[in-house]
Amino acid sequence: DEVGTYTVEDNIAQITLPITLYFPGEVEFFFEGSFLATAYVGPAIPGDFNQDQVLDALDIDALTAVVILGSNDAEYDLNDDKSVDQADRTIWVKQLRNTWFGDANLDDEFNTQDLVDILTEGLYETEDPALWAQGDWNGDAVFGTADFVKALSDGGYELGPQDENGVAAVPEPSGWLLLMMGFVFGAGSRRERR
């Protein structure tokens, strides 16, 4: 009697069990073979609440809902302080997803595209429910001024992606910045000539 096999390779588990089926009757049916089941058994990604192996807007929206409901479900308690709150949202954004508050499309940058995306949703200051991708960055389930304050106070606007330590690479000066610097230095040099 064969027992079956169980293997794990590259976070994929496979179990094979022998099967013998016999159906007596007018027409006898006999089948001998095996049953194969496959499942992902890798470590869970912290903050991946829907377990799709991606930290995305569905996950931060799920965490926000738990915070708003006041539940202290241990699965959502990312800092293990026995409380699911804004601190857990900050851990999700800053440490697990390694991005900025304001990164609506979760492309690891908070930039003009994020602002275009959220403003075209038409939810700003309407008090209608909003999700992360619709501008709810402070976790109150609506998109308003407080969300801009949260995002801009995080300091990541137009700084590009963060490195693995949560630090933005120093961006190259953009054209408008160089133009403004030219005006400032130009005005300063005029004053000195007088």
Side-chain angles (χ1 to χ4, degrees):
D1 289 318
E2 191 177 333
V3 178
T5 61
Y6 177 78
T7 61
V8 178
E9 185 176 326
D10 296 326
N11 294 334
I12 303 294
Q14 291 189 332
I15 186 167
T16 305
L17 301 172
I19 296 176
T20 302
L21 299 173
Y22 174 67
F23 298 98
E26 279 186 37
V27 177
E28 290 188 0
F29 177 75
F30 181 77
F31 172 80
E32 192 165 1
S34 62
F35 170 79
L36 172 68
T38 303
Y40 178 81
V41 294
I45 297 173
D48 180 22
F49 303 116
N50 63 355
Q51 299 177 356
D52 65 355
Q53 305 303 307
V54 178
L55 293 178
D56 56 18
L58 295 173
D59 299 308
I60 187 66
D61 291 338
L63 176 56
T64 299
V66 171
V67 169
I68 289 170
L69 291 173
S71 170
N72 289 321
D73 185 338
E75 177 184 4
Y76 296 88
D77 184 13
L78 299 176
N79 61 1
D80 295 322
D81 67 351
K82 309 282 187 263
S83 177
V84 180
D85 53 22
Q86 291 298 329
D88 298 294
R89 293 182 78 252
T90 299
I91 287 172
W92 192 94
V93 173
K94 303 300 290 177
Q95 294 176 16
L96 300 179
R97 189 62 178 76
N98 195 31
T99 193
W100 305 99
F101 281 94
D103 180 13
N105 59 13
L106 292 173
D107 66 353
D108 300 327
E109 298 184 49
F110 175 35
N111 55 28
T112 305
Q113 186 60 55
D114 297 297
L115 298 178
V116 169
D117 291 348
I118 61 165
L119 291 172
T120 57
E121 291 283 336
L123 295 174
Y124 182 67
E125 297 291 347
T126 64
E127 295 299 316
D128 290 336
L131 301 169
W132 176 270
Q134 298 168 321
D136 178 32
W137 301 319
N138 72 343
D140 64 359
V142 295
F143 173 37
T145 304
D147 297 293
F148 281 121
V149 170
K150 178 74 173 179
L152 294 173
S153 67
D154 193 28
Y157 185 67
E158 295 290 353
L159 289 183
Q162 299 180 46
D163 66 13
E164 62 277 354
N165 298 316
V167 178
V170 177
E172 293 296 321
S174 61
W176 70 267
L177 180 60
L178 292 173
L179 182 63
M180 293 301 290
M181 288 173 58
F183 282 126
V184 170
F185 289 123
S189 65
R190 274 188 178 173
R191 288 183 187 160
E192 290 176 18
R193 291 183 198 168
R194 290 183 182 179

mmCIF file of all heavy atoms in Angstrom, residues 37-66:
data_model
loop_
_atom_site.group_PDB
_atom_site.id
_atom_site.type_symbol
_atom_site.label_atom_id
_atom_site.label_comp_id
_atom_site.label_asym_id
_atom_site.label_seq_id
_atom_site.Cartn_x
_atom_site.Cartn_y
_atom_site.Cartn_z
ATOM 1 N N ALA A 37 -2.566 17.687 -5.179
ATOM 2 C CA ALA A 37 -3.023 18.995 -4.691
ATOM 3 C C ALA A 37 -1.805 19.889 -4.540
ATOM 4 O O ALA A 37 -0.752 19.444 -4.080
ATOM 5 C CB ALA A 37 -3.736 18.840 -3.364
ATOM 6 N N THR A 38 -1.941 21.154 -4.962
ATOM 7 C CA THR A 38 -0.842 22.116 -4.900
ATOM 8 C C THR A 38 -1.324 23.361 -4.161
ATOM 9 O O THR A 38 -2.447 23.823 -4.375
ATOM 10 C CB THR A 38 -0.393 22.499 -6.321
ATOM 11 O OG1 THR A 38 -0.028 21.320 -7.028
ATOM 12 C CG2 THR A 38 0.786 23.444 -6.289
ATOM 13 N N ALA A 39 -0.462 23.910 -3.297
ATOM 14 C CA ALA A 39 -0.819 25.120 -2.556
ATOM 15 C C ALA A 39 0.428 25.951 -2.283
ATOM 16 O O ALA A 39 1.522 25.405 -2.143
ATOM 17 C CB ALA A 39 -1.493 24.753 -1.242
ATOM 18 N N TYR A 40 0.253 27.251 -2.191
ATOM 19 C CA TYR A 40 1.333 28.149 -1.806
ATOM 20 C C TYR A 40 1.471 28.083 -0.298
ATOM 21 O O TYR A 40 0.497 28.239 0.429
ATOM 22 C CB TYR A 40 1.028 29.585 -2.246
ATOM 23 C CG TYR A 40 2.093 30.561 -1.815
ATOM 24 C CD1 TYR A 40 3.266 30.691 -2.544
ATOM 25 C CD2 TYR A 40 1.938 31.324 -0.675
ATOM 26 C CE1 TYR A 40 4.259 31.568 -2.146
ATOM 27 C CE2 TYR A 40 2.925 32.206 -0.271
ATOM 28 C CZ TYR A 40 4.090 32.321 -1.010
ATOM 29 O OH TYR A 40 5.074 33.183 -0.611
ATOM 30 N N VAL A 41 2.671 27.838 0.187
ATOM 31 C CA VAL A 41 2.891 27.721 1.626
ATOM 32 C C VAL A 41 3.988 28.643 2.127
ATOM 33 O O VAL A 41 4.524 28.461 3.197
ATOM 34 C CB VAL A 41 3.238 26.261 2.029
ATOM 35 C CG1 VAL A 41 2.062 25.356 1.796
ATOM 36 C CG2 VAL A 41 4.479 25.782 1.313
ATOM 37 N N GLY A 42 4.318 29.633 1.330
ATOM 38 C CA GLY A 42 5.380 30.550 1.725
ATOM 39 C C GLY A 42 4.978 31.385 2.910
ATOM 40 O O GLY A 42 3.822 31.408 3.324
ATOM 41 N N PRO A 43 5.940 32.087 3.438
ATOM 42 C CA PRO A 43 5.629 32.934 4.586
ATOM 43 C C PRO A 43 4.667 34.045 4.177
ATOM 44 O O PRO A 43 4.729 34.554 3.073
ATOM 45 C CB PRO A 43 6.992 33.514 4.979
ATOM 46 C CG PRO A 43 7.828 33.397 3.747
ATOM 47 C CD PRO A 43 7.313 32.212 2.992
ATOM 48 N N ALA A 44 3.780 34.374 5.090
ATOM 49 C CA ALA A 44 2.837 35.454 4.816
ATOM 50 C C ALA A 44 3.600 36.772 4.765
ATOM 51 O O ALA A 44 4.545 36.985 5.511
ATOM 52 C CB ALA A 44 1.773 35.497 5.906
ATOM 53 N N ILE A 45 3.200 37.634 3.862
ATOM 54 C CA ILE A 45 3.807 38.959 3.766
ATOM 55 C C ILE A 45 3.095 39.848 4.781
ATOM 56 O O ILE A 45 1.875 40.027 4.701
ATOM 57 C CB ILE A 45 3.657 39.529 2.341
ATOM 58 C CG1 ILE A 45 4.396 38.654 1.345
ATOM 59 C CG2 ILE A 45 4.149 40.968 2.288
ATOM 60 C CD1 ILE A 45 4.153 39.050 -0.108
ATOM 61 N N PRO A 46 3.816 40.405 5.755
ATOM 62 C CA PRO A 46 3.157 41.291 6.719
ATOM 63 C C PRO A 46 2.456 42.443 6.002
ATOM 64 O O PRO A 46 3.011 43.057 5.103
ATOM 65 C CB PRO A 46 4.323 41.814 7.574
ATOM 66 C CG PRO A 46 5.407 40.801 7.407
ATOM 67 C CD PRO A 46 5.245 40.265 6.005
ATOM 68 N N GLY A 47 1.209 42.694 6.391
ATOM 69 C CA GLY A 47 0.433 43.765 5.783
ATOM 70 C C GLY A 47 -0.347 43.348 4.555
ATOM 71 O O GLY A 47 -1.138 44.122 4.035
ATOM 72 N N ASP A 48 -0.150 42.110 4.085
ATOM 73 C CA ASP A 48 -0.893 41.601 2.923
ATOM 74 C C ASP A 48 -2.149 40.911 3.440
ATOM 75 O O ASP A 48 -2.221 39.701 3.526
ATOM 76 C CB ASP A 48 -0.026 40.635 2.118
ATOM 77 C CG ASP A 48 -0.741 40.076 0.903
ATOM 78 O OD1 ASP A 48 -1.705 40.704 0.432
ATOM 79 O OD2 ASP A 48 -0.337 38.994 0.431
ATOM 80 N N PHE A 49 -3.139 41.709 3.790
ATOM 81 C CA PHE A 49 -4.310 41.195 4.485
ATOM 82 C C PHE A 49 -5.210 40.319 3.623
ATOM 83 O O PHE A 49 -5.899 39.462 4.141
ATOM 84 C CB PHE A 49 -5.096 42.354 5.098
ATOM 85 C CG PHE A 49 -4.260 43.178 6.030
ATOM 86 C CD1 PHE A 49 -3.996 44.509 5.744
ATOM 87 C CD2 PHE A 49 -3.717 42.624 7.169
ATOM 88 C CE1 PHE A 49 -3.210 45.272 6.596
ATOM 89 C CE2 PHE A 49 -2.919 43.366 8.022
ATOM 90 C CZ PHE A 49 -2.666 44.696 7.736
ATOM 91 N N ASN A 50 -5.203 40.527 2.312
ATOM 92 C CA ASN A 50 -6.007 39.666 1.444
ATOM 93 C C ASN A 50 -5.192 38.507 0.877
ATOM 94 O O ASN A 50 -5.677 37.744 0.058
ATOM 95 C CB ASN A 50 -6.670 40.466 0.324
ATOM 96 C CG ASN A 50 -5.671 41.109 -0.614
ATOM 97 O OD1 ASN A 50 -4.460 41.058 -0.406
ATOM 98 N ND2 ASN A 50 -6.181 41.736 -1.661
ATOM 99 N N GLN A 51 -3.941 38.391 1.292
ATOM 100 C CA GLN A 51 -3.052 37.276 0.969
ATOM 101 C C GLN A 51 -2.924 37.015 -0.531
ATOM 102 O O GLN A 51 -2.903 35.877 -0.979
ATOM 103 C CB GLN A 51 -3.503 36.016 1.709
ATOM 104 C CG GLN A 51 -3.464 36.206 3.201
ATOM 105 C CD GLN A 51 -3.976 35.018 3.976
ATOM 106 O OE1 GLN A 51 -4.442 34.042 3.411
ATOM 107 N NE2 GLN A 51 -3.911 35.100 5.277
ATOM 108 N N ASP A 52 -2.781 38.119 -1.301
ATOM 109 C CA ASP A 52 -2.562 37.963 -2.738
ATOM 110 C C ASP A 52 -1.090 38.159 -3.110
ATOM 111 O O ASP A 52 -0.753 38.296 -4.269
ATOM 112 C CB ASP A 52 -3.456 38.909 -3.541
ATOM 113 C CG ASP A 52 -3.128 40.375 -3.307
ATOM 114 O OD1 ASP A 52 -2.269 40.686 -2.458
ATOM 115 O OD2 ASP A 52 -3.749 41.229 -3.972
ATOM 116 N N GLN A 53 -0.214 38.183 -2.096
ATOM 117 C CA GLN A 53 1.231 38.320 -2.259
ATOM 118 C C GLN A 53 1.652 39.688 -2.771
ATOM 119 O O GLN A 53 2.743 39.856 -3.296
ATOM 120 C CB GLN A 53 1.793 37.204 -3.161
ATOM 121 C CG GLN A 53 1.462 35.804 -2.700
ATOM 122 C CD GLN A 53 1.940 35.514 -1.286
ATOM 123 O OE1 GLN A 53 3.112 35.708 -0.996
ATOM 124 N NE2 GLN A 53 1.052 35.095 -0.413
ATOM 125 N N VAL A 54 0.780 40.701 -2.635
ATOM 126 C CA VAL A 54 1.077 42.067 -3.075
ATOM 127 C C VAL A 54 0.574 43.031 -2.000
ATOM 128 O O VAL A 54 -0.552 42.894 -1.527
ATOM 129 C CB VAL A 54 0.376 42.385 -4.417
ATOM 130 C CG1 VAL A 54 0.649 43.813 -4.850
ATOM 131 C CG2 VAL A 54 0.798 41.408 -5.496
ATOM 132 N N LEU A 55 1.398 44.001 -1.632
ATOM 133 C CA LEU A 55 0.941 45.065 -0.746
ATOM 134 C C LEU A 55 0.352 46.160 -1.624
ATOM 135 O O LEU A 55 1.078 46.891 -2.294
ATOM 136 C CB LEU A 55 2.106 45.622 0.084
ATOM 137 C CG LEU A 55 2.709 44.675 1.108
ATOM 138 C CD1 LEU A 55 3.874 45.335 1.820
ATOM 139 C CD2 LEU A 55 1.676 44.191 2.101
ATOM 140 N N ASP A 56 -0.977 46.234 -1.651
ATOM 141 C CA ASP A 56 -1.640 47.172 -2.555
ATOM 142 C C ASP A 56 -2.726 47.950 -1.828
ATOM 143 O O ASP A 56 -2.884 47.829 -0.611
ATOM 144 C CB ASP A 56 -2.194 46.438 -3.780
ATOM 145 C CG ASP A 56 -3.142 45.304 -3.438
ATOM 146 O OD1 ASP A 56 -3.669 45.261 -2.306
ATOM 147 O OD2 ASP A 56 -3.374 44.449 -4.308
ATOM 148 N N ALA A 57 -3.461 48.744 -2.575
ATOM 149 C CA ALA A 57 -4.493 49.604 -1.988
ATOM 150 C C ALA A 57 -5.567 48.797 -1.266
ATOM 151 O O ALA A 57 -6.133 49.271 -0.273
ATOM 152 C CB ALA A 57 -5.119 50.486 -3.072
ATOM 153 N N LEU A 58 -5.839 47.587 -1.714
ATOM 154 C CA LEU A 58 -6.827 46.758 -1.018
ATOM 155 C C LEU A 58 -6.396 46.496 0.419
ATOM 156 O O LEU A 58 -7.224 46.451 1.332
ATOM 157 C CB LEU A 58 -7.033 45.437 -1.762
ATOM 158 C CG LEU A 58 -7.652 45.535 -3.154
ATOM 159 C CD1 LEU A 58 -7.635 44.171 -3.844
ATOM 160 C CD2 LEU A 58 -9.060 46.095 -3.076
ATOM 161 N N ASP A 59 -5.093 46.347 0.629
ATOM 162 C CA ASP A 59 -4.591 46.064 1.966
ATOM 163 C C ASP A 59 -4.657 47.290 2.872
ATOM 164 O O ASP A 59 -5.103 47.191 4.019
ATOM 165 C CB ASP A 59 -3.151 45.539 1.886
ATOM 166 C CG ASP A 59 -3.061 44.247 1.102
ATOM 167 O OD1 ASP A 59 -3.813 43.309 1.413
ATOM 168 O OD2 ASP A 59 -2.244 44.178 0.167
ATOM 169 N N ILE A 60 -4.218 48.449 2.391
ATOM 170 C CA ILE A 60 -4.277 49.654 3.235
ATOM 171 C C ILE A 60 -5.730 50.047 3.481
ATOM 172 O O ILE A 60 -6.073 50.528 4.572
ATOM 173 C CB ILE A 60 -3.450 50.838 2.657
ATOM 174 C CG1 ILE A 60 -3.384 52.013 3.645
ATOM 175 C CG2 ILE A 60 -3.965 51.297 1.320
ATOM 176 C CD1 ILE A 60 -2.628 51.757 4.917
ATOM 177 N N ASP A 61 -6.616 49.804 2.520
ATOM 178 C CA ASP A 61 -8.037 50.089 2.722
ATOM 179 C C ASP A 61 -8.634 49.152 3.774
ATOM 180 O O ASP A 61 -9.448 49.569 4.601
ATOM 181 C CB ASP A 61 -8.812 49.974 1.407
ATOM 182 C CG ASP A 61 -8.455 51.075 0.423
ATOM 183 O OD1 ASP A 61 -7.954 52.139 0.852
ATOM 184 O OD2 ASP A 61 -8.668 50.855 -0.785
ATOM 185 N N ALA A 62 -8.220 47.889 3.764
ATOM 186 C CA ALA A 62 -8.700 46.943 4.780
ATOM 187 C C ALA A 62 -8.213 47.360 6.162
ATOM 188 O O ALA A 62 -8.981 47.350 7.139
ATOM 189 C CB ALA A 62 -8.223 45.530 4.450
ATOM 190 N N LEU A 63 -6.953 47.754 6.263
ATOM 191 C CA LEU A 63 -6.401 48.209 7.541
ATOM 192 C C LEU A 63 -7.133 49.459 8.026
ATOM 193 O O LEU A 63 -7.494 49.567 9.204
ATOM 194 C CB LEU A 63 -4.904 48.479 7.401
ATOM 195 C CG LEU A 63 -4.190 49.042 8.625
ATOM 196 C CD1 LEU A 63 -4.368 48.147 9.840
ATOM 197 C CD2 LEU A 63 -2.715 49.252 8.306
ATOM 198 N N THR A 64 -7.394 50.392 7.123
ATOM 199 C CA THR A 64 -8.105 51.622 7.484
ATOM 200 C C THR A 64 -9.501 51.297 8.021
ATOM 201 O O THR A 64 -9.939 51.880 9.014
ATOM 202 C CB THR A 64 -8.190 52.565 6.268
ATOM 203 O OG1 THR A 64 -6.856 52.898 5.869
ATOM 204 C CG2 THR A 64 -8.963 53.830 6.580
ATOM 205 N N ALA A 65 -10.190 50.353 7.385
ATOM 206 C CA ALA A 65 -11.530 49.964 7.841
ATOM 207 C C ALA A 65 -11.479 49.397 9.261
ATOM 208 O O ALA A 65 -12.328 49.721 10.097
ATOM 209 C CB ALA A 65 -12.138 48.949 6.880
ATOM 210 N N VAL A 66 -10.473 48.593 9.554
ATOM 211 C CA VAL A 66 -10.340 48.018 10.891
ATOM 212 C C VAL A 66 -10.049 49.114 11.912
ATOM 213 O O VAL A 66 -10.586 49.106 13.022
ATOM 214 C CB VAL A 66 -9.250 46.913 10.898
ATOM 215 C CG1 VAL A 66 -8.947 46.446 12.304
ATOM 216 C CG2 VAL A 66 -9.695 45.740 10.038
#
